[in-house]
Amino acid sequence: MLSIIRRLTAATALSGQTSSLNTSATPDRPWLDLAYQVTRIAVALVPVVLAMHLLARDGVSPGRIGVDRRRPWSDLAVGAGLAALVGIPGLGLYLVARAVGANTTVSAVIRGAYHLYQGFGGFVGNIVMGVLFGAVYARKGRVMPLIIAHTILDVVAFVGYAALKGHVSWL
């Protein structure tokens, strides 16, 4: 919330701003930069580890919420479907928000995660994705397809940005 307030109250219009994701901390020292990147990933996983710990403390195994390998093909199919269902409209929402000046230009590596600091397109997309993922979990009782969908979104965005940078004007 503070990030979007900062952006909306800046002298430059939201559409004239850029958002950098996954920036290098030490671009001149790749090994140190890698250490920073790995540390960022580890810190981002702390809430997941905490959730698993709290579940285990209450006697709930990861398999009970569908974090297992019992149905890999079904999980992969649902995850890939969710990634397409979220990713394709999400990209469209980003483009529409950019066209009406309600989003920043996303620079650096797009990781597929929509955040409010990117503007309102990312904000709405994130809410829709959360509601959809919650509904899928309520119906299927499995987290694994959601993990797969999120991973596909991140990988496609990460690789897609690298492949399309310089060829597509809105990146």
Side-chain angles (χ1 to χ4, degrees):
M1 291 302 294
L2 291 174
S3 181
I4 194 67
I5 291 168
R6 176 180 53 85
R7 288 185 174 280
L8 289 172
T9 58
T12 305
L14 187 61
S15 61
Q17 298 176 32
T18 60
S19 298
S20 297
L21 300 145
N22 202 22
T23 57
S24 292
T26 57
D28 58 328
R29 293 168 280 167
W31 288 106
L32 185 56
D33 194 59
L34 175 63
Y36 270 102
Q37 299 294 336
V38 170
T39 301
R40 286 180 189 149
I41 291 168
V43 168
L45 290 175
V46 167
V48 175
V49 172
L50 177 60
M52 290 300 175
H53 165 72
L54 293 173
L55 286 170
R57 187 182 70 179
D58 291 342
V60 179
S61 72
R64 180 141 180 237
I65 62 168
V67 180
D68 57 33
R69 296 182 184 146
R70 285 184 293 145
R71 296 189 267 175
W73 296 112
S74 172
D75 288 344
L76 181 60
V78 172
L82 280 171
L85 189 63
V86 169
I88 293 168
L91 183 58
L93 185 59
Y94 168 77
L95 294 173
V96 168
R98 279 292 299 144
V100 299
N103 229 66
T104 64
T105 298
V106 180
S107 62
V109 177
I110 300 172
R111 294 174 47 187
Y114 299 101
H115 299 283
L116 190 55
Y117 67 86
Q118 294 175 348
F120 293 104
F123 177 64
V124 172
N126 198 26
I127 289 172
V128 171
M129 182 176 74
V131 169
L132 174 66
F133 278 23
V136 169
Y137 177 75
R139 181 165 183 203
K140 300 268 184 192
R142 296 190 56 75
V143 175
M144 209 60 199
L146 309 178
I147 293 170
I148 291 169
H150 193 269
T151 300
I152 290 171
L153 288 167
D154 285 354
V155 168
V156 168
F158 184 83
V159 173
Y161 176 82
L164 296 174
K165 183 181 177 190
H167 301 289
V168 180
S169 63
W170 46 267
L171 284 180

